[in-house]
């Protein structure tokens, strides 16, 4: 199962590269410096070009980067998406350092920014499950549950399409199992 609908919002799963998604915003799994890095962050900056980094630097000058669990929005440069929402996931450090709540905060703050900018569609990567080492199954449960709760709690959201772009087959399978278990 790779699709559910909650209210007017469709939640879709797919496997692929987030940089090619034609949506209003793609979400970047960034770090607090906002200056780029490896993984999906590196891929987004490489494909999107220097305009994204320039805007990240302006945000750094204004507010000194981005705290874990928070999100900021920039242009998407040359990408087919219109915006990039940069959020900073937690580094997994055993689970007793508020990692679960901080991961949920990433999804909520990204969705809030999307709504503030009246966006219709957004694509998420599997935040924190690469270099930051968050256990994939737990991250999938948190991601789907948090997004579902956000839509239920915001019946006036303009978001019609939320895509989880899984890069690896492991994550896609975990998301499919979880969406099935949600029984919507
Ligand atoms: N499209 C979609 N997903 C991708 C792509 C892509 N092009 N490339 C990788 N992924 P990671 P994190 C997946 O490591 O764990 C950076 O250096 C990947 O398979 O990108 O949050 C930042 O600057 C994994 O499932 O992000 C930070 O320092 C998921 O994206 C740090 O890594 C997240 O993996 C953030 O670590």
């Amino acid at each position: 199962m790779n699709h559910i609908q909650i209210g007017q919002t469709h939640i879709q799963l797919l496997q692929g590269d987030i940089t090619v998604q034609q949506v209003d915003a793609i979400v970047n799994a960034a770090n607090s410096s906002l200056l780029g890095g490896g993984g999906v962050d590196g891929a987004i900056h490489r494909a999107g070009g220097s305009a994204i980094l320039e805007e990240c630097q302006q945000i750094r000058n204004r507010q000194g980067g981005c705290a874990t669990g928070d999100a900021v929005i920039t242009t998407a440069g040359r990408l087919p998406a219109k915006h990039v929402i940069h959020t900073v996931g937690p580094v997994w450090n055993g689970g007793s350092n508020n990692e679960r709540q901080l991961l949920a905060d990433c999804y909520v703050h990204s969705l809030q920014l999307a709504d503030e900018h009246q966006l219709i569609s957004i694509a998420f990567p599997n935040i924190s499950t690469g270099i930051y080492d968050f256990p994939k199954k737990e991250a999938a449960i948190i991601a789907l549950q948090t997004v579902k709760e956000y839509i239920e709690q915001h019946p006036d959201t303009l978001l019609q399409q939320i895509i989880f772009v899984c890069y690896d087959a492991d994550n896609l399978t975990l998301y499919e199992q979880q969406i099935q278990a949600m029984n919507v």
Side-chain angles (χ1 to χ4, degrees):
M1 190 159 152
N2 60 11
H3 172 258
I4 53 172
Q5 182 172 355
I6 301 167
Q8 300 305 309
T9 310
H10 298 266
I11 298 179
Q12 269 172 259
L13 311 179
L14 59 87
Q15 191 178 357
D17 178 356
I18 202 165
T19 63
V20 303
Q21 299 303 315
Q22 292 187 16
V23 284
D24 287 343
I26 61 168
V27 176
N28 180 18
N31 62 63
S32 300
S33 79
L34 296 177
L35 294 179
V40 69
D41 195 6
I44 288 172
H45 281 282
R46 264 195 311 279
S50 58
I52 301 176
L53 189 59
E54 279 162 26
E55 232 181 295
C56 285
Q57 264 154 348
Q58 287 165 15
I59 294 169
R60 264 172 74 83
N61 294 341
R62 269 203 314 275
Q63 64 178 57
C66 181
T68 304
D70 257 338
V72 299
I73 188 166
T74 67
T75 174
R78 294 195 300 257
L79 297 174
K82 296 190 185 118
H83 305 273
V84 177
I85 292 176
H86 307 260
T87 189
V88 181
V91 178
W92 180 260
N93 206 352
S96 54
N97 296 284
N98 209 27
E99 291 96 330
R100 296 173 182 85
Q101 183 59 52
L102 288 166
L103 185 62
D105 289 349
C106 288
Y107 287 95
V108 170
H109 289 141
S110 298
L111 293 168
Q112 280 172 346
L113 264 184
D115 265 332
E116 278 165 32
H117 288 77
Q118 296 169 345
L119 307 186
I120 304 289
S121 54
I122 186 169
F124 283 102
N126 309 132
I127 301 165
S128 280
T129 66
I131 293 163
Y132 282 177
D133 210 23
F134 204 106
K136 288 181 182 176
K137 182 172 181 186
E138 235 185 305
I141 294 171
I142 292 168
L144 283 163
Q145 203 58 41
T146 304
V147 166
K148 176 173 177 274
E149 277 167 25
Y150 180 90
I151 300 164
E152 286 168 351
Q153 289 163 11
H154 297 82
D156 53 347
T157 181
L158 294 176
L159 284 164
Q160 292 176 7
Q161 189 186 28
I162 300 176
I163 308 175
F164 287 100
V165 181
C166 301
Y167 198 57
D168 51 276
D170 268 12
N171 262 316
L172 182 66
T173 303
L174 289 167
Y175 271 73
E176 281 172 348
Q177 286 167 350
Q178 186 51 29
I179 224 168
Q180 191 103 37
M182 282 164 65
N183 204 14
V184 179

